[in-house]
Amino acid sequence: MAMTDMAGTVILGGGVSGLACGLASGGVVLEARDFPGGICASYYLAPESDQPYRESSHRERTFRFERGGGHWIFGGDPVVLVFLQKLTPCRRYTRNSAVYFRQWDLFVPFPLQNHLHALPREARIRALDEIVARAHAVETPQTMAEFLENAFGPTLCELFFFPFHELYTAGLYRRIAPQDSYKTPVSLPAVLRGALGEPMPAGYNQTFLYPAPGLDSLVGKLAERCQIRYEALVTGIDLEERVVTLEQGAPVRFEKLVSTLPLSVTLSLAGLNTSTQADPATAVFVVNVGGIQGKNCPPYHWVYFPTSKTGFHRVGFYSNVERGFLPARGGDPLVSMYIERSFLPENLPPEKEQAKLAAAMVEEVVELGYLAEPLVVHWNTIPIAYTWKWPNSSWQKEAQELLLSNGIIPLGRFGRWNFQGIAESIGQGLMAGASLRR
């Protein structure tokens, strides 16, 4: 079989980590799709067509969406943030999110434990007593469910944390290890102040950035500085021959190989096996909707749901963050939103059932009054969207060491099986790429 010339450094995956690594290393990025960005890829839809536009040339009549739902730039090294804003101008926003309790038709600002004053009196008193009683607990929880109950007590777990995590983790929360506690930190002074109606901001995304022209602007600026081969779906990695095989086209030789593909996928492509059970992941079905705003449309950037008829756990409102997600042309008050439902990867609905599920999820937000009339509906499946760990698991460490010992550098949120944001992913890619540059 014909072979491409030696490519030096080859990067698998054209998401933000891979693009940053390609930019810094000068290596070749192999991307399976015909566009860059991965789950951060933007696209545009017009009401009269179900064909997505990749470019913003039709802004006067199109809604802007993102493939993986709203992706905002939180945290990150200040030097990386300066670099991003040199690529494309960004605006800073203060998070405005909430939990919705259907039984009370009540929105409670997030994080819930810092806004107990907004709960009904009986629930507020019980929750406060329980959190105070657990403030100095020394137990070491083994599962996420144990961590949640230890941190927040039975009342808040029954009202929100257990049913929400049942949806969010597709039922895994009673079996997986605790993680990401920084997302909803527990501070007794903050809880007490919140119970008195003086809430303190908390969490990892209190403020966030978003590119003024859209996330596609940032992705495009990264991509134009890279060597990228699109529609280059990797089917195998030959470690002895130092070759990447593709579904279409000649195999690619490499000297150095970086993979931003999910850690489990990279192991499989390279024919490598760990001695321990692989850690789990959850998939997400994301329904993007643009339409006429409903009379009950809330002002929040996103809303968490402990219960929903169709199983979604979050509804995000792109246009409550940035008006640029809506068509430039005026008219009826419009809204642009995304609805997320989690699945175990093997339980993702088959393609023939996805339209029916998407329609039901949209109908539910219409019933809630968030949307009066949908004008565009489009959905995406992300087979590995969130990564988790089994209690006391060493798989992630073993898998990364196994790849490194075979000359493959795992990189990024999925490549290293670790939740992180856009800024951290780009910073990681730039650092790895710089270390690989000739």
Side-chain angles (χ1 to χ4, degrees), residues 209-277:
L209 298 177
Y210 188 77
L215 193 56
D216 51 334
S217 171
L218 174 60
V219 168
K221 295 293 185 183
L222 289 169
E224 69 187 24
R225 290 162 170 77
C226 296
Q227 300 181 65
I228 307 179
R229 286 183 55 181
Y230 294 110
E231 298 182 306
L233 176 64
V234 177
T235 57
I237 301 170
D238 189 322
L239 296 172
E240 290 189 9
E241 298 295 329
R242 312 298 286 170
V243 164
V244 172
T245 56
L246 307 176
E247 185 177 64
Q248 298 180 10
V252 178
R253 290 192 183 276
F254 62 86
E255 290 180 357
K256 302 168 185 174
L257 187 63
V258 177
S259 179
T260 70
L261 306 181
L263 189 54
S264 56
V265 172
T266 306
L267 288 172
S268 178
L269 289 170
L272 298 172
N273 296 293
T274 56
S275 62
T276 53
Q277 180 188 13

Side-chain angles (χ1 to χ4, degrees), residues 87-99:
L87 290 178
T88 189
C90 296
R91 299 190 181 105
R92 183 169 290 279
Y93 303 85
T94 299
R95 181 192 65 210
N96 182 21
S97 60
V99 175

